[in-house]
Amino acid sequence: MKVSVCVPTYNHEKYIAQMLDGALMQQTDFAFEIVIGDDGSTDSAPAIIQEYAQRFPDKIRAYLHPQNLGPKEPKEFGGRNNVLFLLKACQGEYVALCEGDDYWTDPLKLQKQVDFLEKHPDFSISHHNLEVIYEDNSPSHSFNAIDQKAVSSIEDLLEDRWFVGTASLMYRNFFLTEDFASWHHRAAAGDWALVIQLAARGKIGYLPEVMGKYRKHRGGLSNVHAVTNAYFLRNRRQMFMDVDQWLGHQYKSTVEKTVQKYDRLLEEIGN
């Protein structure tokens, strides 16, 4: 299998059909699978997913968990166990991520990213621009800045700059044979933890085209992962310290500046 499309979803009845349609319309010269895990949704999303899985049994592998895999607490880790389960279930040489409330708009997205990674074996990640859309009808905008670098490295991430939209991420599937880093399960920001581990194995390539939509709404986890949340700030600070140790302090001065930034943020909110 060349590509696994990894789809974690929870209570996305309003969005999941659009996400699956965006994956199923992909035009490729290789085989791909859609690995979707519903995390015990209480809405009609499981029924929608089941119907798609029955219509496309050769494409969709659906895990409809009867109960939420958790953890329930802390809330910053919501959905973590489902995501880790799915990442390990992906059998493709490459994995493309898209959460159940986001979707792809370019039918050649997967082909373009695979072509890039096949031509550039020293890259572990391909990502692209997204349009950020809002449930409350706030104006949409691009996820990436106009000056986003074509090639980035782990040091860019360690400077606490996030530029890899989850719905744009495709990576070489090292985790077919390797385990996640020991610090991964302690990091509330699971997307950061994943991308940092990948960036330690190769460069990050950017395609400037907008090939999907990232949806912001009240139910999204990004509302919990906020700079006013002291627990989240402390957890993020600890993640960078864990990564520094994991990398053998190769980027110690960069990490120290980032940790100091989190110290200032915690001081500003009185924690």
Side-chain angles (χ1 to χ4, degrees):
M1 183 65 62
K2 182 64 77 173
V3 174
S4 294
V5 177
C6 181
V7 189
T9 182
Y10 175 69
N11 281 356
H12 289 154
E13 65 179 0
K14 292 193 291 185
Y15 316 121
I16 193 62
Q18 193 171 34
M19 183 277 137
L20 288 169
D21 288 341
L24 289 164
M25 76 172 180
Q26 292 299 304
Q27 300 169 20
T28 65
D29 61 13
F30 51 79
F32 69 91
E33 63 175 356
I34 300 168
V35 183
I36 183 166
D38 182 86
D39 202 10
S41 289
T42 57
D43 62 9
S44 65
I48 297 168
I49 294 164
Q50 184 66 44
E51 189 257 329
Y52 269 84
Q54 289 170 349
R55 282 169 53 203
F56 302 97
D58 58 327
K59 273 275 193 275
I60 298 176
R61 188 150 45 97
Y63 297 93
L64 304 178
H65 306 300
Q67 295 179 324
N68 190 282
L69 297 187
K72 289 185 178 178
E73 294 294 336
K75 64 182 181 297
E76 289 81 4
F77 283 75
R80 169 60 55 82
N81 293 339
N82 182 42
V83 173
L84 294 178
F85 168 85
L86 285 176
L87 292 176
K88 277 297 187 181
C90 289
Q91 297 298 306
E93 181 182 346
Y94 302 104
V95 175
L97 273 169
C98 191
E99 294 174 330
D101 50 350
D102 300 327
Y103 63 101
W104 298 333
T105 53
D106 187 337
L108 298 177
K109 171 211 149 69
L110 291 181
Q111 186 71 55
K112 291 173 183 175
Q113 290 188 281
V114 166
D115 289 348
F116 177 87
L117 289 169
E118 300 268 276
K119 289 175 187 170
H120 300 89
D122 53 335
F123 283 68
S124 61
I125 293 171
S126 166
H127 71 114
H128 57 77
N129 207 350
L130 296 164
E131 182 183 4
V132 183
I133 58 174
Y134 293 85
E135 188 180 50
D136 65 2
N137 295 319
S138 296
S140 66
H141 58 85
S142 292
F143 182 87
N144 290 104
I146 196 166
D147 60 350
Q148 173 62 44
K149 293 194 292 187
V151 180
S152 301
S153 71
I154 191 168
E155 193 156 16
D156 293 298
L157 295 168
L158 297 178
E159 290 173 353
D160 197 31
R161 292 194 283 119
W162 183 246
F163 46 85
V164 182
T166 303
S168 80
L169 172 62
M170 179 182 282
Y171 65 85
R172 295 186 192 278
N173 194 5
F174 302 102
F175 304 111
L176 268 176
T177 55
E178 299 178 31
D179 288 329
F180 299 113
S182 59
W183 51 268
H184 185 135
H185 73 282
R186 298 192 298 269
D191 47 2
W192 274 87
L194 177 67
V195 170
I196 285 171
Q197 289 170 80
L198 295 166
R201 293 165 168 83
K203 293 184 279 192
I204 304 169
Y206 174 63
L207 305 176
E209 300 164 70
V210 173
M211 293 193 265
K213 308 230 180 190
Y214 166 38
R215 195 188 311 268
K216 300 271 275 185
H217 56 92
R218 287 188 301 277
L221 199 57
S222 61
N223 295 315
V224 177
H225 293 178
V227 293
T228 54
N229 180 339
Y231 176 90
F232 180 70
L233 292 176
R234 286 193 296 270
N235 183 274
R236 180 68 68 83
R237 179 187 186 278
Q238 184 62 50
M239 180 190 75
F240 282 110
M241 293 176 67
D242 288 344
V243 170
D244 183 43
Q245 185 173 2
W246 179 67
L247 292 170
H249 309 291
Q250 294 176 64
Y251 306 96
K252 187 173 182 62
S253 61
T254 301
V255 174
E256 282 179 346
K257 290 175 185 172
T258 297
V259 169
Q260 287 166 8
K261 183 184 101 171
Y262 280 92
D263 287 338
R264 289 193 299 273
L265 288 168
L266 284 162
E267 190 175 340
E268 286 171 10
I269 63 173
N271 278 271

